[in-house]
Amino acid sequence: MLRALRLAVVLFGQSVRSLARHRGRTTLSAVGIAIAIAAVVWVVAIGIAGAERAAALLQDLGDNLVWVEAGSRNVAGVRTGSKSTSTLTLGDAEAILREVPYVQSVSPQVDGNVQIVSAQSNWSTRSRGIAPAYVAIKRFSIAAGALFNDEDVQLGRNVLVMGQTVRQRLFGADNPVGQIVRMNGQPFEVVGLLAPKGQSATGTDQDDVVMVPYSTANRKLRPAGQTWLDDIVCSAARPDLIEATTAQITALVRERHRIAPGQDDDFNIRHPEEVVKAQMAASETFSTLLLVIASVALLVGGIGIMNVMLASVSERRREIGVRLAIGAKPRSIVLQFLVEAVLVSLFGGGLGLAASLAGSSILEHAVGWSLRIPIESFVVAFAFSALVGVLFGYLPARLASRLDPVEALSSD
């Protein structure tokens, strides 16, 4: 053990002295490895941040969400747009909750745009008529006050909860709970404030909204006679039941709307999580592409190390010849040159890790995400550095060990 330790110290000292004789060349080779290692670490950090962001978006979408939307019809060859039909009703929502076994909760939804006025200001925003179940289905939470209840829905009371964007526009930093605002000329009491939710997967500000009982929205925020629903928001019991739930809802609503086989649906069933999953797949593909590019950079850095070691072998032929002539074994020559190659590579790996830490704040600003560089990446980076040194240092080391001592000593 002591002998092996002494040999390691000697090899390390000889390698450092040899590399120090050509500082410029050694440094340039190490910089090539450093760039590649920093690129790999950044790609890993971006991949982790992207995965965490996508998971958060999926979480925000809803609790196993199945979204039934008033759809479009083909009328005389003309396709009408989404929400252009008036056949989606409260009875459909009640039937879905009652007859589809995989559905655990349902909320009707009535959408609109309103001008909301407070004593201090006014703001144009989206109104959403809902049942209390909507907040849990869509994973909203209440920051202050409380959500209206089923009795408020049954009686069509003028109560609302508002998002943070509306609160800031109307009340600034003040607590709006208990305040009276006006919509469509009618007074509404603010009973709750929604917690911030941020942007949706499609870039919509989810905090720029007021929510009222759907009965109130139908009677007081829409033109007279409009009693149909824009959407029915459902929650399946489990994620693996979403597809079966969709099929059951489709069959039920087609039957209730008396849609004959072969006719178009007058509703759409959407799965917003598919958008996020597509974004996740695109992000994974992009991360893989970046990793390939970083790997190419690592390959280029390895080739740089190999060139440095080949040049070193060429310059030190006489030294190698002397060592072989006095009895040095070929494996000793191989070991010395491998140690030198690994040292250059590890030096580059250390520079790369330092660069990745220094540059992470710049990347955070560029991509708009909070980047977290995992501790494991440091271990992996040094391991890759050592591996590159061994792989690309072996050929020069092998060539050095196979030199003929006579030819080596006679070289200039």
Side-chain angles (χ1 to χ4, degrees):
M1 183 67 181
L2 185 60
R3 182 180 178 184
L5 182 61
R6 188 179 299 134
L7 176 61
V9 171
V10 170
L11 281 173
F12 180 80
Q14 289 179 342
S15 299
V16 170
R17 284 193 297 272
S18 175
L19 294 173
R21 285 199 293 266
H22 302 283
R23 294 184 183 87
R25 191 167 64 191
T26 301
T27 302
L28 287 175
S29 299
V31 167
I33 293 295
I35 293 171
I37 291 297
V40 170
V41 172
W42 286 332
V43 167
V44 171
I46 290 172
I48 291 173
E52 290 175 348
R53 178 178 171 82
L57 287 174
L58 279 173
Q59 178 72 15
D60 281 345
L61 284 176
D63 183 20
N64 305 327
L65 182 64
V66 180
W67 171 22
V68 186
E69 177 190 61
S72 60
R73 297 299 295 268
N74 191 333
V75 181
V78 177
R79 173 67 67 179
T80 57
S82 294
K83 301 191 178 183
S84 61
T85 58
S86 56
T87 53
L88 204 60
T89 65
L90 181 60
D92 293 329
E94 294 170 344
I96 289 171
L97 183 60
R98 183 178 60 251
E99 299 181 29
V100 178
Y102 295 151
V103 169
Q104 63 179 3
S105 56
V106 167
S107 171
Q109 182 172 318
V110 179
D111 293 329
N113 294 303
V114 294
Q115 192 75 19
I116 181 169
V117 181
S118 71
Q120 296 87 4
S121 186
N122 68 89
W123 180 248
S124 179
T125 187
R126 299 189 313 278
S127 67
R128 185 156 292 159
I130 59 167
Y134 179 91
V135 171
I137 294 173
K138 292 286 287 181
R139 292 196 173 109
F140 281 89
S141 57
I142 302 297
L147 182 65
F148 47 80
N149 56 36
D150 290 329
E151 183 181 347
D152 295 323
V153 174
Q154 292 169 4
L155 298 178
R157 287 175 176 154
N158 288 15
V159 290
L160 66 83
V161 294
M162 65 172 52
Q164 292 286 342
T165 299
V166 180
R167 174 261 192 105
Q168 290 167 5
R169 295 293 181 176
L170 296 183
F171 299 99
D174 296 339
N175 186 352
V177 176
Q179 298 292 324
I180 302 298
V181 296
R182 300 188 72 84
M183 294 191 298
N184 277 16
Q186 300 185 57
F188 281 74
E189 180 185 359
V190 181
V191 296
L193 175 66
L194 296 169
K197 199 168 174 69
Q199 288 191 340
S200 69
T202 56
T204 303
D205 182 3
Q206 298 181 90
D207 299 320
D208 191 4
V209 67
V210 293
M211 298 181 184
V212 302
Y214 66 82
S215 54
T216 305
N218 253 339
R219 297 171 194 167
K220 301 176 182 179
L221 298 182
R222 303 180 83 177
Q226 290 189 11
T227 59
W228 58 85
L229 303 179
D230 292 297
D231 308 276
I232 300 172
V233 180
C234 311
S235 174
R238 300 196 310 268
D240 59 305
L241 295 176
I242 289 177
E243 188 174 345
T245 302
T246 299
Q248 292 174 354
I249 292 174
T250 300
L252 175 62
V253 178
R254 283 183 64 90
E255 179 184 354
R256 288 181 54 83
H257 292 190
R258 296 181 173 83
I259 300 173
Q263 286 186 330
D264 289 342
D265 294 338
D266 60 355
F267 60 94
N268 303 309
I269 297 186
R270 302 191 184 278
H271 303 290
E273 72 274 7
E274 292 176 357
V275 175
V276 178
K277 287 178 179 177
Q279 290 179 349
M280 290 175 68
S283 177
E284 289 172 0
T285 301
F286 183 63
S287 295
T288 302
L289 177 61
L290 289 178
L291 192 58
V292 169
I293 295 172
S295 299
V296 171
L298 201 58
L299 176 64
V300 172
I303 292 173
I305 288 179
M306 186 168 64
N307 286 336
V308 167
M309 299 312 300
L310 286 172
S312 180
V313 170
S314 178
E315 293 171 353
R316 295 160 62 188
R317 289 171 65 88
R318 291 181 64 83
E319 173 195 333
I320 297 168
V322 169
R323 294 184 61 187
L324 290 172
I326 62 176
K329 295 181 179 180
R331 66 171 178 268
S332 300
I333 305 297
V334 169
L335 189 58
Q336 179 182 346
F337 280 90
L338 277 180
V339 169
E340 292 180 17
V342 170
L343 283 177
V344 174
S345 191
L346 288 176
F347 178 48
L351 288 176
L353 289 176
S356 65
L357 290 173
S360 59
S361 59
I362 299 174
L363 272 179
E364 284 181 353
H365 180 73
V367 301
W369 299 345
S370 177
L371 296 184
R372 178 174 56 84
I373 298 178
I375 297 299
E376 297 84 355
S377 64
F378 290 85
V379 178
V380 172
F382 273 111
F384 264 100
S385 299
L387 182 62
V388 167
V390 171
L391 291 178
F392 289 91
Y394 180 75
L395 177 60
R398 182 68 174 167
L399 290 175
S401 69
R402 300 183 69 178
L403 285 176
D404 181 88
V406 176
E407 292 182 3
L409 289 168
S410 64
S411 61
D412 293 331

